[in-house]
DNA sequence: AAGTTCGGCAAACGACTGTTTACTGAATGG
DNA sequence: CCATTCAGTAAACAGTCGTTTGCCGAACTT
């Protein structure tokens, strides 16, 4: 049922999805839906959890990376691009419902993005470059990284669906932007 | 009719909107809709144009600003916050449909964001700090600014609807992030 | 003054919707 | 071996939906 829903949400909104539509796609009777979910919103929340589990794995993979700033940036952009390609339907669902019409789903996504920012902040604190940084500045930088990751993933998503070659331009731009941010980070003097 | 649609889209998706729903809200008969639009998608595109016109004005207001980097940042964040407050329904519509289920609308929004980035890039080129920057680097920075503006506006949107006091925290964070970016900009040596 | 466009209406069409109800077979567990 | 839970079904309910058609008055145009 989750797979059926995800497949339908490729070119549709969660709010415009129908119970009958999902069960038809899954090859079941309409009543079968209510055996598993009370709502379509509940199905949406379940999809959020499914989608963000793999994102969490991806983020940890990037953070665990050792090495210089340059190669860390390259790895991060590569990992994002690959993740979007391999989990396209999940990523599209997240992008579409992050500001979508179903409050429960929006809140689930936002809460998880907050946790990502906290995790990134904790990882940043361990790096030598961050010595003397206040908690607040670290959080600010972490949110900047997370927002940038989200924007980049969205851009990859649309590029891959239109013209795969444009993905390279997006990757190059994202790398430059990360380099500029890490430059500002090195010269930061505190707020 | 545009106003009726915008009002309904406050807690709904364009894809889940109905012709009858719009006409009912507008106090008209269903058939009246087809006198003005062939599709609901067409109504969506019209709303995009209406929404982005005011954003365009806002961007020009920020770019025309003279003065040092610090006060320019403060002004930019203030203008964004005020714009979100005064055009909440328009901004929410844009955020929701940017990755929404209606292709025509998505493309209209993305095309306009591209034009914004071009405009910002042209303005950046005139500043003394950008001497020696390649076209590509300027464009990269402009896209970073536009993406940051979009993220900030989304954050304001959600904050203002939940707890207005959280808006201050978001404004402060956005200012710090812009300061960090302009720090990276000053030390940029080209790609 | 005649003609034409414009924006509106009511009514009707079949198709699709969410949800409940009562029922069924299979698996599970004591 | 009997009871119970589980996951499924068909059928029916009253609504809502998008869209087309034919009609109408008002406002322009000429």
């Amino acid at each position: 049922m989750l797979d059926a829903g995800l497949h339908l949400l490729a070119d549709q909104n969660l709010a415009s999805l129908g119970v009958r539509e999902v069960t038809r796609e899954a090859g079941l009777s309409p009543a079968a839906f209510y055996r598993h979910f009370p709502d379509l919103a509940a199905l949406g929340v379940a999809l959020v959890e499914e989608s963000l589990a793999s994102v969490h794995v991806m983020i940890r993979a990037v953070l665990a990376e050792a090495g210089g700033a340059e190669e860390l940036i390259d790895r991060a952009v590569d990992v994002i691009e690959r993740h979007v390609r391999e989990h396209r339907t999940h990523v599209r669902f997240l992008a579409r419902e992050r500001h979508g019409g179903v409050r429960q789903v929006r809140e689930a996504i936002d809460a998880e993005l907050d946790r990502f920012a906290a995790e990134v902040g904790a990882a940043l604190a361990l790096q030598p470059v961050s010595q003397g940084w206040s908690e607040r500045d670290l959080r600010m930088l972490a949110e900047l990284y997370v927002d940038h990751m989200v924007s980049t993933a969205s851009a990859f998503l649309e590029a891959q669906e239109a013209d795969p070659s444009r993905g390279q331009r997006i990757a190059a731009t994202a790398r430059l932007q990360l380099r500029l941010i890490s430059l500002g980070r090195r010269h930061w003097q505190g707020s």
Side-chain angles (χ1 to χ4, degrees), chain A:
Chain A
M1 201 107 72
L2 288 175
D3 291 348
L6 204 55
H7 182 248
L8 288 172
L9 288 169
D11 29 33
Q12 207 169 158
N13 262 317
L14 178 59
S16 73
L17 199 61
V19 171
R20 292 187 114 106
E21 215 174 344
V22 175
T23 57
R24 195 185 311 131
E25 175 83 11
L28 300 176
S29 87
F33 175 85
Y34 297 95
R35 300 285 178 200
H36 302 271
F37 308 98
D39 260 340
L40 274 169
L43 181 137
V45 173
L47 280 176
V48 170
E49 290 165 9
E50 194 181 70
S51 303
L52 284 172
S54 57
V55 177
H56 218 143
V57 171
M58 179 196 81
I59 289 194
R60 282 198 209 278
V62 172
L63 291 181
E65 198 84 13
E70 290 296 316
E71 51 179 315
L72 201 149
I73 286 175
D74 291 350
R75 279 280 294 162
V77 175
D78 283 354
V79 167
I80 292 176
E81 177 166 21
R82 198 162 50 109
H83 187 270
V84 173
R85 193 171 0 159
E86 291 175 359
H87 303 83
R88 213 193 317 268
T89 54
H90 279 137
V91 174
R92 182 167 35 208
F93 166 73
L94 291 173
R96 187 159 290 173
E97 300 303 330
R98 184 180 179 202
H99 303 284
V102 183
R103 185 167 34 82
Q104 298 176 256
V105 172
R106 268 181 318 202
E107 286 171 357
I109 295 177
D110 272 10
E112 204 68 20
L113 286 183
D114 268 6
R115 294 179 50 199
F116 287 165
E119 198 163 342
V120 170
L124 291 179
L126 299 179
Q127 298 181 339
V129 205
S130 312
Q131 273 189 342
W133 280 54
S134 72
E135 196 67 42
R136 172 157 190 68
D137 287 359
L138 277 174
R139 176 70 186 203
M140 171 279 287
L141 181 60
E143 289 180 10
L144 183 58
Y145 278 134
V146 170
D147 284 349
H148 186 263
M149 182 192 76
V150 170
S151 297
T152 304
S154 297
F156 274 134
L157 189 64
E158 286 163 20
Q160 287 178 6
E161 294 184 350
D163 172 12
S165 75
R166 258 177 41 198
Q168 293 191 339
R169 213 190 77 90
I170 289 171
T173 300
R175 278 191 290 264
L176 290 178
Q177 289 168 340
L178 286 174
R179 278 180 53 192
L180 189 142
I181 290 174
S182 81
L183 210 52
R185 188 184 171 198
R186 275 203 291 280
H187 293 88
W188 187 255
Q189 313 251 19
S191 59

